[in-house]
Amino acid sequence: MRAAMSFAIWVSGLAWLSILAACEAPAGAEAFSVTSDVEISPPREATTSVTEPSRIDVPWMVGEEAAALTALPELTWCRDGRALLLDPRRPASERTLERLDPTTGERTPAVDASAALRSLKALVDGDIGETLEWPIDFSADGKRAAYRFGGDLFVLDLEASRFRRVTSTRAEEKSPRFSPDGRFVAFVRDQDLYSFDLFESVEHRLTRDGSETLLNGTLSWVYWEEIFGRRDIGYWWSPDSRSIVFLQTDESEVGIAYFLDPEPVWPRLIEQRYPKAGTTNPSVRLGVVGADGDHRHWIDLSAVPHEYVVRVQWLPDGQRLAVQTMTRDQQRLDLSWVDPVSSEITPILHETDPAWINIHDDLVFLDGGREFLWSSERTGYTHLYRYSDRGELRAALTQGNWSVRSSAGAFWVSQSIAAVDEARGWVLFTGQADSSIERHLYRVRLDGSERQRLTRNAGTHRITARPDGAYFVDAWSDLSTPPRMELCAGDGRLLRELSPPRVDLAQDLGLVYPELFTIEARDGFEMPACLMKPADYDPSRSYPLILDIYGGPSAPNVANAWSGWSLWDQILVGDGFLVLRVDNRSATAISKTLESTVLGQLNGDGELNDLVDAVRHMKARPDVDAERVGVWGWSGGGSFTLLAMTQSEEFRAGIAVAPVTDWHYYDTKWAEFAMKRPEENVEGYERTNLNRFAGDLHGRLLLVHGTYDDNVHPQSSWRFIEALVQANKRFEMMFYPMRKHGISDRPARIHLYSTMLEFWRRELGTSGARRLEPLAAGR
């Protein structure tokens, strides 16, 4: 349901991804602020880098040249204070892992890539590629890296530039992670947890009961997707590297979804354990085991009523665990210290919310575990707090009518704390204190005083800070500038540009850039919006308008950032369309209060009213042809497209990709956070069941889905199609065999976007921005 947002924005508290995977003024301009109670700056006029139309087409858009526009180095900090990076901009013959010394800014090769690849080729049959790629994990000292080839695990010794084979089995190994001391690498094979002693070259089997439905150290789909933000984090090394705490998941009572692979001759039936709203969740428990397989035992958490175990981490002393649990209604979260030997539980604090609680990764320990930092939405905004290890509040570090926010990663799992400089008394965090459509890095004293903004340029900043806060790497962009990467000191001083923006690639493409503005809803709320216009835009003419929508809670589609969708929008404006993005209030990420307005009716009347107000505002403009307005979206945006086309008459045509049409069909954790269980909210589930309104379809519809979508099951589209058939409503559909939620391979992407472009040309028409005769409702 969230995949489309992975494509939508380069970085806005979301992962920045290229167009193959899934709006701020120029650098130095004043920050653009969009909140409900702040005066709004006037819109910036749309601009173009050249006077002729864009020369981008669909195949180019999903090719390597387009991906190069946003390609930046991968980077991680090591225990010695230096960073490791891999720069995709280097020529393939020169590309290797590099070490970055932040004190000098010097970059040096960390490994001889040619020698490393030669050693690997001697160990692996088959193609391993011609370049060294970014590994799955590094040891904390940065001396070793874990890779997987052909389903087996390999470890690269960076100093020796040599690979060694760790496993050689028919089974696939996954999720390798080094112990803190670098001696062991743990991994999962056939749902069991293993460790490999790199010093002794000995493999240890840590669990022995893994099966198709019993998972040790690896996550079920709903935990992987919803709780850990698409990261397979199912075990945690102790600080002394002697023990591992792990999740064991029992999926035997979880319902099964089925997918049909049509190849080769006899179709293959694929099963997925997937808990749908109101049904049984996987049950989980925590186990502890020695690094060599000794002293395995289970931790009893029954004293804390819960449905989900949402976070586990060791305290710095290695003697206690910090365990976060959540109730089924997601209205209560408990933080407890747990003795991993005796299972003694010490309650520390709990959060409650009449709507729901969002999961975060902002538990950070101070002073060896005597204090900790924590984020909470208790005021209606997300802010940081400092506590004693007994749960006593010491200080509110941030406050006000704004929120701390992630600068990267899955938007439904927040992590705003970037680093802590305990020696100097600073906490570095990301947030939107200056603008709701930007992300900036700030620092504040441990008593909440002296808040300072460290990122100087208007835009959206993705921060990778050294844990002690002495340095940080800032990957940032704005609406008109592709992303760049800079090395900065902990006080915000620019030390070195690591990767400049690829203006050299952008300048000859005939790009146009959006204008930012706001649209007033019926109650006066100012919704953030951005509009793109053709390069040869003539204000005396009227143009067809396409609304690109996502709309999910605190998942903004408007940001002062280089957008992952930008190239697709360039094609559309090059074809004579106006392209509009607007965030309904619950999507803005301004506050938890606004986000919670969808309680009980997710994808319902509140969001629809905001979108209708936005479209009617645009239709009143002389440069918009009110008879040629379309809407499209992916995943949650696909659901909003169907909502808009069945419960309003504002749109001539629409494209819905991978939509949820009935919350009964979606997973427990996501569907129930706002909707609760079906038996608790019968009216809400009925009101948001789009299948009930298929007969009210207005305009032409193109419905798209992948047949192996294990996120939003094709069942949603099939059910909507059946309702359309029953109502004798004509529509178009495009189903992609064995594609998942992202429909992400290049041939499918070329076909999909070419199909969508053809649909828009046919249904909205762009030749000379001419007017067409009105389209009969439900044509």
Side-chain angles (χ1 to χ4, degrees), residues 77 100-106 466 469-474 485-498:
W77 291 96
L100 170 66
D101 185 340
T103 63
T104 64
E106 183 180 9
R466 205 169 80 171
Y471 301 93
F472 65 89
V473 171
D474 180 10
M485 181 176 279
E486 299 171 338
L487 172 66
C488 302
D491 59 5
R493 288 178 293 116
L494 175 63
L495 300 177
R496 180 174 178 177
E497 187 172 56
L498 300 176

Side-chain angles (χ1 to χ4, degrees), residues 114-134:
S114 297
L117 288 170
R118 285 195 300 270
S119 72
L120 181 61
K121 288 178 180 178
L123 300 172
V124 178
D125 293 329
D127 183 23
I128 60 170
E130 300 299 322
T131 59
L132 195 62
E133 301 298 330
W134 190 249

Side-chain angles (χ1 to χ4, degrees), residues 370-648:
R370 295 179 180 87
E371 292 188 329
F372 64 91
L373 302 179
W374 179 259
S375 72
S376 172
E377 300 166 326
R378 65 191 62 160
T379 66
Y381 296 87
T382 312
H383 285 297
L384 299 177
Y385 302 86
R386 179 167 61 89
Y387 284 88
S388 74
D389 65 350
R390 296 183 297 276
E392 300 162 338
L393 180 63
R394 295 280 172 84
L397 272 61
T398 63
Q399 54 191 316
N401 294 338
W402 57 276
S403 291
V404 299
R405 291 291 180 195
S406 296
S407 70
F411 71 82
W412 58 98
V413 178
S414 175
Q415 183 175 1
S416 62
I417 298 176
V420 179
D421 183 350
E422 283 197 77
R424 296 175 179 84
W426 292 106
V427 177
L428 279 65
F429 67 93
T430 51
Q432 50 191 40
D434 295 283
S435 170
S436 69
I437 60 170
E438 299 183 358
R439 294 292 187 274
H440 287 283
L441 179 67
Y442 303 84
R443 67 178 181 179
V444 68
R445 292 291 185 184
L446 284 166
D447 62 0
S449 65
E450 299 184 49
R451 190 187 82 218
Q452 303 169 10
R453 175 170 145 183
L454 301 180
T455 45
R456 305 303 180 189
N457 296 292
T460 300
H461 299 256
R462 180 193 186 200
I463 305 300
T464 306
R466 205 169 80 171
D468 65 0
Y471 301 93
F472 65 89
V473 171
D474 180 10
W476 68 276
S477 73
D478 60 42
L479 273 172
S480 59
T481 311
R484 72 185 76 194
M485 181 176 279
E486 299 171 338
L487 172 66
C488 302
D491 59 5
R493 288 178 293 116
L494 175 63
L495 300 177
R496 180 174 178 177
E497 187 172 56
L498 300 176
S499 290
R502 298 305 300 268
V503 292
D504 57 322
L505 299 180
Q507 63 186 0
D508 296 326
L509 295 176
L511 302 180
V512 297
Y513 302 111
E515 62 180 55
L516 288 167
F517 62 110
T518 60
I519 298 175
E520 188 174 295
R522 64 192 64 181
D523 63 353
F525 181 83
E526 298 284 343
M527 294 180 286
C530 63
L531 181 69
M532 287 182 66
K533 303 173 182 177
D536 57 355
Y537 170 78
D538 180 350
S540 68
R541 295 160 60 183
S542 61
Y543 294 83
L545 174 73
I546 297 173
L547 170 62
D548 182 335
I549 185 64
Y550 181 72
S554 285
N557 206 20
V558 177
N560 189 3
W562 187 271
S563 171
W565 283 118
S566 177
L567 299 181
W568 169 237
D569 292 346
Q570 298 289 340
I571 292 175
L572 294 176
V573 298
D575 222 55
F577 296 100
L578 301 179
V579 178
L580 173 72
R581 297 176 186 275
V582 64
D583 287 328
N584 47 286
R585 70 194 68 199
S586 60
T588 59
I590 291 172
S591 70
K592 179 57 164 58
T593 300
L594 290 175
E595 183 182 343
S596 295
T597 58
V598 301
L599 178 64
Q601 197 179 123
L602 187 58
N603 295 2
D605 295 338
E607 299 111 309
L608 178 62
N609 289 340
D610 281 352
L611 297 179
V612 167
D613 290 348
V615 170
R616 288 176 177 171
H617 169 87
M618 296 302 296
K619 285 183 174 184
R621 290 172 48 136
D623 60 347
V624 173
D625 186 339
E627 296 169 359
R628 292 189 291 156
V629 177
V631 59
W632 92 280
W634 200 308
S635 192
S639 301
F640 275 112
T641 296
L642 298 181
L643 176 69
M645 294 188 69
T646 57
Q647 298 185 50
S648 82

Side-chain angles (χ1 to χ4, degrees), residues 4-27:
M5 288 306 295
S6 296
F7 313 136
I9 296 176
W10 173 76
V11 52
S12 180
L14 319 178
W16 102 72
L17 299 173
S18 74
I19 192 72
L20 283 172
C23 281
E24 165 185 73

